[in-house]
Amino acid sequence: MRRESVQTPLHLLFLGLLAACGSIQDTEQDAAARESLGTVKAAMCAGASVSSLTIQNVTTYLGEMAGGGNWAVTYPANAVHLQYYIDGVLQSSDTRDSTTRSGPWSFSQAGVACGSRTFEVRAYATVIYSGGSTVCWNSSPQTLTRTVTEPCPCGNGVCESTENSSSCPQDCPAPVYCGNGTCDWNENGWTCYADCGDPCGGRSTCGDGTCCPDSGICPSGYYCPL
């Protein structure tokens, strides 16, 4: 019986080794490039910081929260990256630059629920250069918070902390109990005499939860008590 062996040409094996080596070399070069870029960005941020952050005013009207303030950064930063939060949830962000390394910021967000809300602004020094920009995440960022309250309108179906049964009975109905001066839906003269009065209108009762009938004889067959 003749045996046939499968032989791979040497030049194909050589090309495969070269491809594999090239892939490894490319990966190492990419990693080195990324590390070098990170080093460059870190050097750009050396000494950069947010030197000042202020909030001038934050208000909410008809579900729209708006506010503003000022920022300042130190060299080599020439811009600031700002993040805006409501109740700990990021709403938006922007980057602002200035030749004086300072300037104003502003924020506006619609659809904010009424009641008490916490607004927060976070500022990070940023370096803008000819090839792009880099945010200095670890270079002394600053954070400010403010509590903003917009009263909820009466009639929204929620008894807010600023409402009660007197100021907004639609949302905060008065508690139902015997003695509150109102004969409520779940009360009657038998269960709450104080609020609903005499269930028999002055007539005697038969002692079984019924009023004495005009015949003077209770359902039990006995005469109504005097």
Side-chain angles (χ1 to χ4, degrees):
M1 177 181 296
R2 179 184 177 185
R3 294 186 178 181
E4 295 183 355
S5 60
V6 178
Q7 298 180 350
T8 302
L10 290 177
H11 73 280
L12 293 180
L13 289 174
F14 182 69
L15 290 176
L17 289 172
L18 285 178
C21 292
S23 178
I24 294 173
Q25 185 178 7
D26 290 343
T27 301
E28 292 175 348
Q29 289 176 348
D30 291 343
R34 286 193 296 269
E35 183 177 356
S36 176
L37 181 60
T39 302
V40 170
K41 288 187 175 182
M44 286 183 178
C45 291
S49 67
V50 178
S51 57
S52 176
L53 181 65
T54 65
I55 293 180
Q56 293 180 342
N57 192 27
V58 180
T59 59
T60 304
Y61 179 69
L62 296 180
E64 182 171 356
M65 183 179 292
N70 291 286
W71 60 270
V73 295
T74 61
Y75 181 85
N78 55 6
V80 68
H81 180 73
L82 297 152
Q83 295 180 336
Y84 309 102
Y85 295 79
I86 296 178
D87 293 339
V89 179
L90 178 63
Q91 304 295 315
S92 62
S93 63
D94 57 34
T95 298
R96 297 170 182 263
D97 65 289
S98 171
T99 55
T100 61
R101 296 188 174 85
S102 63
W105 63 267
S106 61
F107 166 80
S108 179
Q109 179 68 43
V112 179
C114 61
S116 182
R117 300 284 170 251
T118 299
F119 170 77
E120 177 182 359
V121 55
R122 301 179 187 176
Y124 300 85
T126 301
V127 178
I128 296 179
Y129 54 98
S130 59
S133 65
T134 182
V135 178
C136 306
W137 298 107
N138 299 317
S139 58
S140 303
Q142 288 201 27
T143 299
L144 292 177
T145 60
R146 289 291 186 274
T147 299
V148 186
T149 301
E150 180 180 14
C152 293
C154 179
N156 68 341
V158 178
C159 186
E160 308 289 346
S161 59
T162 57
E163 299 174 333
N164 55 48
S165 58
S166 299
S167 63
C168 187
Q170 301 97 309
D171 295 341
C172 309
V176 176
Y177 62 92
C178 183
N180 66 352
T182 302
C183 187
D184 294 295
W185 63 269
N186 61 342
E187 297 175 331
N188 56 48
W190 304 104
T191 60
C192 186
Y193 183 91
D195 291 345
C196 301
D198 185 357
C200 295
R203 291 183 294 172
S204 59
T205 62
C206 291
D208 58 358
T210 61
C211 300
C212 186
D214 293 337
S215 64
I217 300 176
C218 291
S220 61
Y222 293 96
Y223 287 100
C224 296
L226 298 177

